[in-house]
Amino acid sequence: MDESSVELKNLSKQFGAHPVVRDVSLQIKRGEFFSLLGPSGCGKTTTLRLLAGFDNPSSGEIFINGSLANGAPPYARDVNLVFQSYALFPHMNVYQNVAFGLEMKKLSRSQIQPMLEEVLSLVRLTGLESRFPKQLSGGQQQRVALARALVTHPSVLLLDEPLGALDLKLRKEMQLELKKLQRKLNITFIYVTHDQEEALTMSDRIAVMDHGRVVQVGRPEEIYEQPATRFVADFIGETNFIEGKIVSCDPPWVKVDVQGIQMSALGIPPYEKSREVVIAIRPEKIWLQKEHSSSSENQFTGLIEELVYLGTDTRYLVRLSDELILTVRQQNLDHSAFRKGDRVYLGWPAPCAQVLHPETEA
Amino acid sequence: MEKQRERGQLALLLLPSTLWLGLFFLAPLGIILVISLVQRGGPVAWQLDGSAYVRLLDPLHLKIFLRSLTLAVLTTFVCLLVGYPLAYYIAQRPPRLRHLLHFFVLLPLWANSLVLTYAWMVLLRPEGFFDSLLHALGFAEPISLLYTPTAVVIGLVYWYLPFMVYPLYGSIEKFDFTLIEAAHDLGATRFQAFRKVLLPLTMPGVMAGSLLVFISALGTFVVPALLGGDKTLMWGNLIQQRFLSTPQDWPLGAALSLAMMLFMSVGIWFYFRVNRESA
Ligand SMILES: Nc1ncnc2c1ncn2[C@@H]1O[C@H](COP(=O)(O)OP(=O)(O)O)[C@@H](O)[C@H]1O
Ligand SMILES: [Mg+2]
């Protein structure tokens, strides 16, 4: 309890009859970089707004630094929000925008000056103090928003898709910069994004949201390697879903029959025989060879139906049977790549294939 | 050749507005100017004479001018106090309700304003609605608001409130309310968020609305004539009387009009200068 920076207990929010956040419980540690990841419209912004105090939850509790925050107005919460639209004050220059929070705390000019210099150099805006927001580039505006929220030293910083409006290259740079900044300041970041790659590269932990619910919480590699549901596997990265029936179960291994082809996958029992299940396997975990490999047990033959050259990788569609086509991704290490129509051997290490939990219905 | 044709087209395009301005603005202005520069008598004697401008400087006129100014400023101020919350309220409603509320704000402009002013006379006179109300509330002294400066301000606010609400509504509606949330998030109370963010960003609406109400109230004559009586004459009544009541003095009336126009022009020039600087 004492360790949590932010704790949500059974938090729900509905607008009229329309539930937007449903029974969300999370514990976020002090100094953690925590991401809320999910498709657009799944309730991420609403969750942040509940945390910041702009909306009141329909039910459930919010604890910030161990004390109940329900009902406290935004200006009384030790939490600052970086808005998706930045929401910079257009009639104030950079200096005035960033100093706003300090002025509201009734600090004197001489107290404000050094704090401002520090935060502006932190976000590399020194020298732009007298510019107005509309005279700045998108990336600079974004850093003003960041400086404005950081300057009052909140214990939690909420960020709503802060890099969404930037172009790809700038976004990648800012991802690294934000992460470095968060480490340096050791402030809890709650970071909202619909970009799975962004969440994977930046976060200590991720909560994946779907239709207002948190469907999985975990470290990036847990989320990626062991997606809890089909939704998570599908939303994060690319995944082959293979439907089949259980033949036998030898914990933690499950043998599944897929249209007469037998495959092994990792699964958590109990699984009864003949039950219909879905196996998830990432395209980059599948190997392709021209020759039969004598050592591997999860080994099949297929026909290359289609291929897409992606620069560092090539993406192949391989047909195993009439109804089973798998996507395979191979790094382009040499020129011995495969061609359309080639007969190939393919397979994967059994631990890379995973039997998914049946989807809990919303 | 090409240039000449373009010029011809331009002249053609400018013709209607030039005609309009010439016919309805410059020509009357010229007539007023001419009248102000001739002798009085019956009601004008066409004899060049500058004495109307000497009569203009009568201390009585200065007193009425200051009264007009005070009442116009007061009216503007009350309109702002009432209009700002009203415009804010309308801007915050869902779109469909907004249309209905607009309609209500505009309603007084559609009815005959003279009739509405008479209605105010009935409400404000002794033993009228307000007097009876105050009486019922326990005020023993009968009070008459009619024929006081208060009555004039009430009437003027009623007439000109829509002129304030519209520009204000325009700038409040354009305002991005996430900025208020950002201010709250950074520790601003409701009042601080209003003063530091909402008010400065809706200042163009405040200025435009105030200018419209102020100019209109300064030049008015119907409301003070009906609700103000003889003791609360305003500049507009003065002009009207010099043209229409005895002793008629058209040159003085014209000079009074020109003085008012000059004063307003300075006000408008000042407004645009301030606006340009803040933009
Ligand atoms: N004030 C509101 N009134 C009604 N519905 C809302 C309101 N705010 C958000 N919603 C709805 O809640 C859902 C989730 O919105 P949001 O939290 O913004 O999603 P995200 O940030 O994940 O894209 C959307 O369907 C949206 O239409
Ligand atoms: Mg959002």
Side-chain angles (χ1 to χ4, degrees):
Chain A
M1 185 76 200
D2 196 46
E3 228 208 312
S4 302
S5 173
V6 171
E7 185 173 1
L8 308 181
K9 278 189 183 161
N10 308 105
L11 195 67
S12 294
K13 174 72 183 176
Q14 50 195 62
F15 292 107
H18 178 49
V20 172
V21 175
R22 309 192 206 190
D23 198 27
V24 167
S25 295
L26 290 172
Q27 281 193 327
I28 298 161
K29 295 190 210 67
R30 211 170 289 284
E32 191 170 27
F33 196 120
F34 193 92
S35 290
L36 292 176
L37 172 65
S40 145
C42 73
K44 307 178 299 285
T45 297
T46 306
T47 308
L48 277 199
R49 291 176 59 83
L50 293 174
L51 269 167
F54 298 137
D55 288 320
N56 286 316
S58 305
S59 64
E61 288 160 338
I62 299 169
F63 294 89
I64 297 170
N65 294 324
S67 56
L68 188 68
N70 289 45
Y75 50 84
R77 298 190 187 200
D78 191 14
V79 160
N80 282 353
L81 174 62
V82 176
F83 288 79
Q84 190 163 8
S85 61
Y86 310 148
L88 298 178
F89 304 125
H91 60 305
M92 299 183 193
N93 63 23
V94 170
Y95 187 98
Q96 292 162 326
N97 262 286
V98 179
F100 189 86
L102 297 173
E103 277 169 11
M104 292 302 111
K105 289 193 166 183
K106 302 266 184 304
L107 297 190
S108 69
R109 273 192 160 273
S110 58
Q111 286 169 302
I112 291 176
Q113 187 64 34
M115 295 173 86
L116 223 80
E117 278 170 18
E118 189 193 332
V119 79
L120 287 178
S121 82
L122 195 68
V123 299
R124 299 190 292 113
L125 280 174
T126 312
L128 298 180
E129 288 86 345
S130 57
R131 294 266 195 99
F132 283 86
K134 64 173 178 232
Q135 300 170 313
L136 298 173
S137 71
Q140 288 167 334
Q141 288 181 13
Q142 207 283 320
R143 293 206 296 262
V144 177
L146 200 61
R148 187 177 71 172
L150 280 173
V151 74
T152 54
H153 296 291
S155 61
V156 183
L157 193 68
L158 309 173
L159 302 102
D160 191 358
E161 314 217 11
L163 309 181
L166 307 182
D167 61 55
L168 186 65
K169 190 158 174 292
L170 195 56
R171 198 154 71 218
K172 300 259 177 216
E173 279 172 30
M174 283 302 293
Q175 285 175 7
L176 294 178
E177 231 178 281
L178 268 179
K179 181 73 191 163
K180 266 201 329 221
L181 203 66
Q182 189 263 341
R183 285 263 164 74
K184 190 160 156 190
L185 299 172
N186 203 29
I187 291 178
T188 310
F189 272 36
I190 302 181
Y191 190 97
V192 158
T193 179
H194 67 259
D195 180 339
Q196 39 110 4
E197 198 184 323
E198 196 166 284
L200 290 175
T201 50
M202 298 172 81
S203 319
D204 296 321
R205 282 194 305 152
I206 298 171
V208 183
M209 288 184 74
D210 178 29
H211 287 93
R213 284 183 209 281
V214 168
V215 285
Q216 188 174 6
V217 183
R219 287 178 287 111
E221 57 274 27
E222 283 171 355
I223 300 274
Y224 188 81
E225 304 285 347
Q226 293 142 37
T229 66
R230 183 168 181 156
F231 170 80
V232 177
D234 200 20
F235 186 69
I236 314 237
E238 203 179 359
T239 306
N240 291 296
F241 295 106
I242 307 167
E243 287 168 17
K245 279 191 183 133
I246 294 182
V247 177
S248 65
C249 186
D250 174 19
W253 305 108
V254 180
K255 239 194 180 56
V256 180
D257 177 273
V258 182
Q259 298 164 39
I261 305 169
Q262 300 231 327
M263 302 176 177
S264 311
L266 207 56
I268 301 157
Y271 284 118
E272 61 273 23
K273 226 181 137 179
S274 342
R275 184 171 167 175
E276 298 198 356
V277 290
V278 174
I279 299 173
I281 170 100
R282 300 281 184 195
E284 75 276 11
K285 307 280 188 192
I286 304 176
W287 50 257
L288 281 183
Q289 284 179 358
K290 287 185 174 146
E291 313 291 326
H292 183 270
S293 157
S294 53
S295 58
S296 180
E297 62 156 336
N298 252 341
Q299 184 167 197
F300 318 97
T301 56
L303 197 71
I304 298 205
E305 285 241 319
E306 203 63 68
L307 56 91
V308 183
Y309 178 73
L310 299 170
T312 56
D313 307 34
T314 299
R315 201 211 267 111
Y316 301 93
L317 293 183
V318 184
R319 182 177 290 283
L320 276 75
S321 70
D322 285 348
E323 311 226 336
L324 182 60
I325 297 176
L326 294 183
T327 304
V328 181
R329 233 176 140 128
Q330 296 270 292
Q331 258 187 298
N332 293 326
L333 297 175
D334 49 35
H335 292 287
S336 66
F338 305 91
R339 274 187 304 248
K340 198 167 158 174
D342 282 359
R343 281 217 79 80
V344 290
Y345 290 91
L346 71 162
W348 53 84
C352 294
Q354 203 187 355
V355 175
L356 292 177
H357 293 279
E359 198 87 31
T360 41
E361 281 308 311
Chain B
M1 273 292 275
E2 189 65 20
K3 266 243 169 75
Q4 237 170 9
R5 232 185 72 194
E6 264 176 37
R7 247 187 236 162
Q9 280 175 344
L10 192 67
L12 207 66
L13 283 173
L14 285 175
L15 194 65
S17 53
T18 314
L19 270 180
W20 178 272
L21 265 180
L23 218 59
F24 296 104
F25 179 70
L26 289 176
L29 189 66
I31 295 171
I32 292 280
L33 188 66
V34 168
I35 292 178
S36 81
L37 289 170
V38 297
Q39 266 179 20
R40 70 178 141 174
V44 271
W46 299 104
Q47 190 72 207
L48 195 67
D49 179 52
S51 66
Y53 289 92
V54 178
R55 275 171 274 142
L56 176 69
L57 297 174
D58 187 322
L60 177 70
H61 294 161
L62 184 68
K63 198 178 138 198
I64 293 179
F65 176 74
L66 288 180
R67 179 193 293 148
S68 295
L69 208 60
T70 314
L71 291 180
V73 167
L74 220 63
T75 301
T76 308
F77 190 66
V78 175
C79 277
L80 196 57
L81 281 188
V82 177
Y84 202 102
L86 189 61
Y88 184 88
Y89 178 82
I90 296 175
Q92 293 267 285
R93 291 314 99 190
R96 277 190 52 189
L97 199 54
R98 267 187 237 165
H99 293 305
L100 191 71
L101 290 168
H102 279 177
F103 175 74
F104 283 128
V105 171
L106 281 182
L107 207 55
L109 293 182
W110 290 2
N112 185 314
S113 37
L114 212 59
V115 173
L116 293 174
T117 310
Y118 275 114
W120 274 106
M121 287 178 76
V122 174
L123 291 175
L124 294 170
R125 72 168 185 228
E127 284 162 42
F129 174 75
F130 283 100
D131 191 25
S132 314
L133 185 73
L134 287 172
H135 199 74
L137 288 173
F139 290 87
E141 291 289 305
I143 58 157
S144 170
L145 284 171
L146 195 58
Y147 306 134
T148 64
T150 312
V152 175
V153 172
I154 290 175
L156 289 177
V157 167
Y158 180 77
W159 269 46
Y160 295 125
L161 190 62
F163 293 1
M164 181 63 91
V165 171
Y166 268 81
L168 276 177
Y169 172 81
S171 55
I172 295 174
E173 204 230 85
K174 268 189 290 181
F175 179 79
D176 172 11
F177 280 91
T178 43
L179 296 178
I180 294 283
E181 293 187 336
H184 283 318
D185 192 55
L186 294 164
T189 59
R190 287 173 72 93
F191 177 71
Q192 283 170 322
F194 168 74
R195 210 176 63 79
K196 292 272 193 179
V197 180
L198 182 63
L199 188 60
L201 286 171
T202 51
M203 205 34 106
V206 172
M207 298 282 285
S210 299
L211 186 78
L212 279 177
V213 172
F214 177 74
I215 296 280
S216 312
L218 200 58
T220 190
F221 68 91
V222 174
V223 171
L226 294 181
L227 299 180
D230 284 339
K231 280 173 295 178
T232 323
L233 282 186
M234 286 174 73
W235 197 261
N237 306 107
L238 211 54
I239 297 173
Q240 181 213 10
Q241 287 183 359
R242 290 295 71 77
F243 276 103
L244 300 178
S245 340
T246 41
Q248 273 185 330
D249 185 346
W250 281 24
L252 176 58
L256 287 164
S257 305
L258 286 172
M260 176 63 39
M261 277 189 66
L262 187 70
F263 181 78
M264 285 176 179
S265 309
V266 170
I268 293 172
W269 172 79
F270 192 69
Y271 164 80
F272 279 110
R273 227 192 64 161
V274 169
N275 248 17
R276 182 144 17 103
E277 261 166 32
S278 63

